[in-house]
Amino acid sequence: MTSDGPLVGVLAIQGDVREHMWSLRAAGARAVPVGSTSDLESVDALVLPGGESTTMSKLALADGLMEPLRTARAAGMPMFGSCAGMIMLADRIQDGRPDQETVGGLDIVVRRNAFGRQVDSFEAAVAVPCLGETDFPAIFIRAPWVESVGDDVQVLARVDRGLAEGTIVAVRQGSLLATAFHPELTGDSRFHDLFVQMVRQTR
Amino acid sequence: MTDVSPVVGTERVKRGMAEMLKGGVIMDVVTPDQAKIAEDAGAVAVMALERVPADIRAEGGVSRSSDPDMIDGIIEAVSIPVMAKARIGHFAEAQILESLGVDYIDESEVLTPADYSNHIDKWNFTVPFVCGATNLGEALRRITEGAAMIRSKGEAGTGDVSNAVTHMRTIRGEIARLSSMSKDELYVAAKELQAPYDLVVEVAAAGALPVVLFTAGGIATPADASMMMQLGADGVFVGSGIFKSGDPVKRANAIVQATRHFDNPDVVAKVSRGLGEAMVGINVADIPVHHRLEDRGW
């Protein structure tokens, strides 16, 4: 952890908060859990972790955190979501709960649990050209995929083999970054490096 | 692109699934309607079984894995992960559950054991397993057999949280003791724990299990959930505590809130109000030793 790195929060409602904090520190940021509006006001950027998106959404609403999250995002706070976090950043969801709300901001349609149930969860090497020539070791767990993207969304990665070939699994739109898989479980910090770099640029 | 094909059922995929449940509540359900109540309350997963532990205790007899129709119905009813229980050592029940598409199998002492020597070889499955443990050695033996998640055993179906507390404190205490040992002491520690040396070294270095540790057994109130989280649980299983209480909807919501805000007594106090009757409890001390579930599994 460096003392002058940007202060990045991890939304600590539920899910793999700790793994994201470790990854952020490996990428040179200071990392803190964010569980309240005052926590949110103190950070430069926010990661929305993996977890159960319906639970995260419900509890964010119950805690009165959803509106502050939307406000922070609209004000330009950089945000990075993995898996459930990607769902939380999507403007539109398929196969979610009918009452499921999101922070939004990413002009995409996300299909929840798109790859199937846990027995279908998988690891695969995925080409992510913006992170260099080496494939990213992606871990997909009951993962969503991106069904469609708006004009301003940059596609960073697609699954390039198998039944889901061509499916979009990583995107960026301005200061928002999202992956359908879990970079925080891999020990490969390139996505967190990219995000911390995005945060430094907006600071 | 390297020549690596997508691969399912890896250790990281199995253990990673449990990481996503952290900070959440997993609720026992016996019908699709109960599963919906659990999902509506914000459960991160449901556990499908044919009878909740309190009824298994009351009715006695051999307790087995659920009817596939019931599990299908529960999978249909909710979009959150569905877990289901198999008897200890009953690999054929586990094979059935995997073929039904459940997301996690609980090889559970709550059901009647099918094998009094061997647990299921969990490496043979694509679906991940959670297993109960009363102490560190037991947890490490289950992990060696392929468990991707551990929970305390507690004494299910009682509403008495004391055994869950004992198990959680024991596991955490034994890990802390390992971490304080010098390397040459770990050989004997491994022998005493009846666990593989390499795994013991890994736990000593990390100061934690290599998998997620939930609590289970006897959790009946928001305060119980809060206490177990403060004792270091990564999340909470609630069995009979919800659907054997006076107002399951309210209690399910309250336990989810108490788990989320476990370190904020103001919130736990608020959600503890007006919950109606808790499940009727049984003191663990009043249960004949041969009826205690914590002794099942070895």
Side-chain angles (χ1 to χ4, degrees):
Chain A
M1 181 152 64
T2 56
S3 56
D4 60 343
L7 185 62
V8 181
V10 181
L11 185 65
I13 291 177
Q14 186 273 317
D16 67 339
V17 177
R18 192 177 52 190
E19 286 67 23
H20 269 292
M21 303 232 300
W22 290 338
S23 302
L24 286 165
R25 286 170 188 156
R30 292 171 294 149
V32 291
V34 164
S36 66
T37 307
S38 59
D39 292 346
L40 182 62
E41 284 163 356
S42 71
V43 297
D44 300 320
L46 187 72
V47 168
L48 297 99
E52 174 47 49
S53 66
T54 57
T55 302
M56 227 180 269
S57 168
K58 186 191 159 62
L59 293 181
L61 284 167
D63 290 350
L65 260 172
M66 193 65 97
E67 273 312 315
L69 286 166
R70 287 174 181 146
T71 305
R73 191 265 304 152
M77 179 183 282
M79 294 190 181
F80 168 27
S82 68
C83 196
M86 172 187 253
I87 295 171
M88 288 288 281
L89 287 177
D91 280 343
R92 293 170 296 282
I93 316 175
Q94 287 182 355
D95 296 342
R97 280 173 56 89
D99 60 350
Q100 189 170 348
E101 293 192 25
T102 68
V103 176
L106 277 177
D107 183 14
I108 59 175
V109 178
V110 152
R111 182 182 291 278
R112 184 165 162 256
N113 299 340
F115 288 97
R117 304 193 67 83
Q118 173 61 13
V119 289
D120 306 306
S121 294
F122 64 101
E123 288 188 42
V126 172
V128 189
C130 72
L131 297 182
E133 286 193 2
T134 312
D135 288 343
F136 196 88
I139 301 176
F140 294 86
I141 297 174
R142 282 175 55 99
W145 69 42
V146 179
E147 197 75 26
S148 62
V149 299
D151 292 341
D152 297 333
V153 178
Q154 185 187 353
V155 174
L156 303 184
R158 294 174 187 268
V159 172
D160 47 12
R161 64 186 57 213
L163 292 174
E165 188 178 337
T167 306
I168 300 167
V169 289
V171 294
R172 177 176 175 180
Q173 181 179 357
S175 59
L176 303 179
L177 179 68
T179 60
F181 46 89
H182 294 281
E184 73 278 12
L185 296 181
T186 60
D188 185 325
S189 71
R190 283 181 290 165
F191 269 100
H192 291 84
D193 291 342
L194 170 64
F195 183 59
V196 171
Q197 193 190 329
M198 286 163 58
V199 179
R200 287 184 199 278
Q201 282 163 1
T202 54
R203 259 213 305 178
Chain B
M1 187 75 203
T2 53
D3 202 23
V4 183
S5 296
V7 48
V8 298
T10 64
E11 189 176 278
R12 290 204 295 192
V13 160
K14 289 175 171 178
R15 293 181 178 183
M17 171 72 205
E19 301 288 352
M20 301 311 145
L21 303 172
K22 283 189 298 194
V25 181
I26 300 167
M27 300 182 192
D28 276 4
V29 298
V30 300
T31 65
D33 286 343
Q34 289 185 353
K36 281 195 198 114
I37 289 172
E39 184 179 53
D40 289 346
V44 291
V46 292
M47 174 73 72
L49 69 172
E50 65 168 353
R51 293 179 287 172
V52 294
D55 288 335
I56 293 172
R57 267 184 202 290
E59 293 160 17
V62 174
S63 188
R64 310 177 178 88
S65 201
S66 296
D67 185 321
D69 279 344
M70 184 55 76
I71 290 176
D72 280 350
I74 289 169
I75 287 175
E76 273 299 301
V78 294
S79 66
I80 57 177
V82 175
M83 301 182 163
K85 287 183 192 288
R87 284 180 265 178
I88 290 174
H90 207 315
F91 52 85
E93 279 189 352
Q95 288 162 353
I96 291 169
L97 295 176
E98 180 171 71
S99 111
L100 295 174
V102 306
D103 296 296
Y104 236 95
I105 294 176
D106 184 2
E107 186 182 16
S108 178
E109 71 283 357
V110 169
L111 307 185
T112 309
D115 186 330
Y116 282 89
S117 302
N118 307 290
H119 283 249
I120 296 169
D121 180 356
K122 294 166 274 287
W123 298 112
N124 282 336
F125 290 78
T126 303
V127 66
F129 282 74
V130 54
C131 288
T134 60
N135 57 52
L136 181 59
E138 203 176 347
L140 297 183
R141 289 193 291 280
R142 297 295 85 78
I143 293 167
T144 306
E145 296 155 2
M149 178 179 186
I150 295 292
R151 55 171 173 76
S152 67
K153 278 186 178 167
E155 195 60 27
T158 61
D160 182 344
V161 78
S162 63
N163 275 17
V165 169
T166 304
H167 301 160
M168 190 59 63
R169 283 194 187 275
T170 302
I171 293 169
R172 303 262 304 172
E174 287 174 324
I175 292 172
R177 204 165 66 83
L178 273 193
S179 293
S180 70
M181 286 182 180
S182 61
K183 195 160 173 280
D184 60 341
E185 293 172 323
L186 293 176
Y187 295 102
V188 174
K191 189 187 80 175
E192 287 170 356
L193 289 167
Q194 299 177 53
Y197 172 72
D198 290 345
L199 188 52
V200 169
V201 170
E202 185 185 343
V203 171
L209 292 179
V211 301
V212 164
L213 174 63
F214 266 48
T215 185
I219 288 119
T221 67
D224 289 347
S226 164
M227 176 172 65
M228 296 313 300
M229 291 298 286
Q230 292 186 55
L231 287 175
D234 289 319
V236 177
F237 283 92
V238 186
S240 322
I242 290 170
F243 291 102
K244 283 287 158 189
S245 74
D247 188 343
V249 172
K250 204 165 179 192
R251 188 165 292 262
N253 274 289
I255 291 179
V256 168
Q257 286 291 335
T259 303
R260 151 85 174 98
H261 295 286
F262 69 88
D263 54 357
N264 185 339
D266 294 342
V267 175
V268 180
K270 187 174 146 217
V271 301
S272 297
R273 292 173 193 275
L275 290 182
E277 274 184 56
M279 67 178 287
V280 177
I282 309 169
N283 292 324
V284 171
D286 296 339
I287 301 170
V289 171
H290 65 282
H291 284 169
R292 291 187 195 168
L293 304 178
E294 65 164 336
D295 297 328
R296 294 177 172 175
W298 20 88

